[in-house]
Amino acid sequence: MKSKKTNTCDHSCLMCRYVLQDWLGQIDLHRKNIRVKKGEQFITEGEEVRGIYFVQSGLVKVHRNLGDKETIVRFAKKGDIVGHRGVSSEQSVYPISATTLDVTQLCFVELPFFLSTLRINPELSYRLMLFFADELHLSEQKMANLAQLSVKNRLAWSLLLLHRVFGEGIDNEYIGIDLSKKDLAAYVGTTYETVYRTLAELVDSGAITVDKKKIFIKNRSFLDSLAAEKYGE
């Protein structure tokens, strides 16, 4: 990773959007801009928490290892926070890893400065609380899906979620994120072979089309019905 001090920050991340205007100067003094190559891991699960990252451009996958299997927790795009799961009163290590899926520009601030920022900026603390609540709800939904939905149903739910998060402002059918089948399988909670076969089934049913790594939604109502369908129904 290449770290440098620069004034190119556009203040569009979660932290900069909700701090007091007078505090932006402090952020500029304390932040580091880091350029990360595609496929480079910049947080390793179990290592000591150094600070918090914000995505300025590019794409990041946040993942964990469960045994010998990788599970993708979420994807982070421009403006998103990464590393916040390491903020805790009971631990000092990151419970997740983070790896870039594209050439990515990151903004990094050390943990003590970030905690000071939270104390001084109540609007940021409030927004971060809501973000944690939304993330917890989504994590619980994904856990429930593992128990209640088949792979095809989970894949439909996941594609709809990715479209909601990444598809805004672009082609209405494109889910908005190019993923390898390996990463999509790790996000859905299945194997590469199963996700490959299930994508083909959804293509045959007319629900989606696939062009290399791009996935386009063609029949939203059909995916909606799959996403809501439980085992045995």
Side-chain angles (χ1 to χ4, degrees), residues 13-230:
C13 71
L14 175 71
M15 178 172 61
C16 290
R17 289 201 308 271
Y18 296 114
V19 298
L20 301 168
Q21 286 296 307
D22 292 345
W23 194 252
L24 290 174
Q26 289 297 316
I27 292 175
D28 287 338
L29 288 173
H30 287 84
R31 66 180 170 81
K32 293 179 181 178
N33 277 19
I34 303 171
R35 182 176 173 83
V36 189
K37 295 182 293 185
K38 179 180 179 180
E40 188 172 350
Q41 185 170 310
F42 60 92
I43 294 178
T44 300
E45 184 177 349
E47 72 178 3
E48 184 179 356
V49 175
R50 303 179 304 276
I52 307 298
Y53 297 85
F54 297 90
V55 182
Q56 290 191 324
S57 65
L59 183 66
V60 172
K61 68 174 180 180
V62 178
H63 52 105
R64 300 187 64 182
N65 287 325
L66 300 178
D68 59 351
K69 184 178 180 181
E70 179 186 89
T71 297
I72 295 179
V73 177
R74 59 185 276 262
F75 299 98
K77 63 183 188 306
K78 176 179 170 61
D80 288 346
I81 185 172
V82 179
H84 56 284
R85 289 174 178 244
V87 178
S88 170
S89 62
E90 298 183 356
Q91 66 178 21
S92 58
V93 299
Y94 291 111
I96 51 82
S97 298
T99 302
T100 59
L101 294 178
D102 201 351
V103 176
T104 299
Q105 192 79 15
L106 299 169
C107 174
F108 171 80
V109 294
E110 293 182 351
L111 185 59
F113 174 73
F114 182 70
L115 295 177
S116 296
T117 298
L118 291 179
R119 294 187 187 99
I120 293 170
N121 294 272
E123 181 65 18
L124 175 61
S125 297
Y126 171 71
R127 296 288 180 169
L128 191 62
M129 180 191 69
L130 294 179
F131 172 78
F132 270 115
D134 289 341
E135 193 173 58
L136 177 60
H137 174 75
L138 190 59
S139 296
E140 290 175 341
Q141 181 64 63
K142 289 188 70 175
M143 289 297 295
N145 286 350
L146 284 172
Q148 297 175 354
L149 302 183
S150 69
V151 172
K152 181 184 285 188
N153 301 123
R154 295 203 306 272
L155 179 57
W157 184 87
S158 298
L159 292 178
L160 291 170
L161 174 62
L162 292 173
H163 184 266
R164 177 163 61 85
V165 174
F166 292 94
E168 184 178 358
I170 56 177
D171 184 322
N172 287 336
E173 296 179 342
Y174 173 44
I175 67 168
I177 179 174
D178 295 354
L179 295 177
S180 69
K181 292 179 178 62
K182 179 181 178 182
D183 283 336
L184 185 57
Y187 185 64
V188 174
T190 187
T191 63
Y192 170 91
E193 294 78 11
T194 302
V195 86
Y196 186 94
R197 183 177 64 252
T198 309
L199 280 172
E201 292 175 4
L202 291 177
V203 169
D204 290 342
S205 68
I208 63 172
T209 58
V210 178
D211 181 9
K212 297 180 180 178
K213 291 185 179 181
K214 294 184 182 293
I215 300 176
F216 301 84
I217 294 176
K218 294 296 183 179
N219 189 337
R220 176 178 293 276
S221 61
F222 181 71
L223 292 180
D224 282 333
S225 65
L226 283 178
E229 187 178 274
K230 302 294 190 297

